[in-house]
Amino acid sequence: MFREIRQWFDPHEVRETGDTPDYRFSLANERTFLAWLRTALALVGGGLAAAQFVTTPAAPYVRTVVAVVLLLLGGGCALRAVDHWIRCERAMRTGKDLPPQRFPAVLALSLGVGAACLIVLVVVGGLSR
């Protein structure tokens, strides 16, 4: 595990592994990595916005819960992005299959469940007025 994390900060070790793949594949891997970072940044921004602007007098804890969940998802997404980038780069260099990726499904389900919960809170809050 520590070897994996060390490679996040020392990509030269990865570049010395195996053969150099077609640069288009490495660039596509990097674009995917940057897309995941944009997603992470959007989640962190959403968490900060929720912490600052959401007002729920009926349930004051909702703001904190929403903000913390979004911030945790954003941080997890960023860490997952760098880990997946390194794993894919190493797989391409050694001629192995690309690693399976379950995180997009986990993230999508988490956001879907969270959105459904927030819809219920909005509807219940709107009906109670």
Side-chain angles (χ1 to χ4, degrees), residues 71-109:
L71 290 168
L72 287 173
L73 279 172
C77 189
L79 292 174
R80 180 66 179 123
V82 71
D83 181 59
H84 191 70
W85 173 68
I86 288 291
R87 291 172 60 216
C88 285
E89 189 68 27
R90 190 173 39 246
M92 287 187 297
R93 290 178 165 280
T94 58
K96 295 182 180 173
D97 289 339
L98 293 177
Q101 184 168 303
R102 292 178 201 91
F103 187 74
V106 170
L107 182 63
L109 288 173

Side-chain angles (χ1 to χ4, degrees), residues 24-67:
R24 293 174 291 182
F25 299 126
S26 290
L27 291 175
N29 189 30
E30 188 173 333
R31 282 191 302 274
T32 302
F33 168 70
L34 293 173
W36 278 107
L37 286 184
R38 283 191 303 272
T39 301
L41 184 60
L43 288 167
V44 168
L48 291 175
Q52 292 297 314
F53 301 115
V54 172
T55 57
T56 52
Y61 62 88
V62 171
R63 173 177 66 177
T64 304
V65 170
V66 169

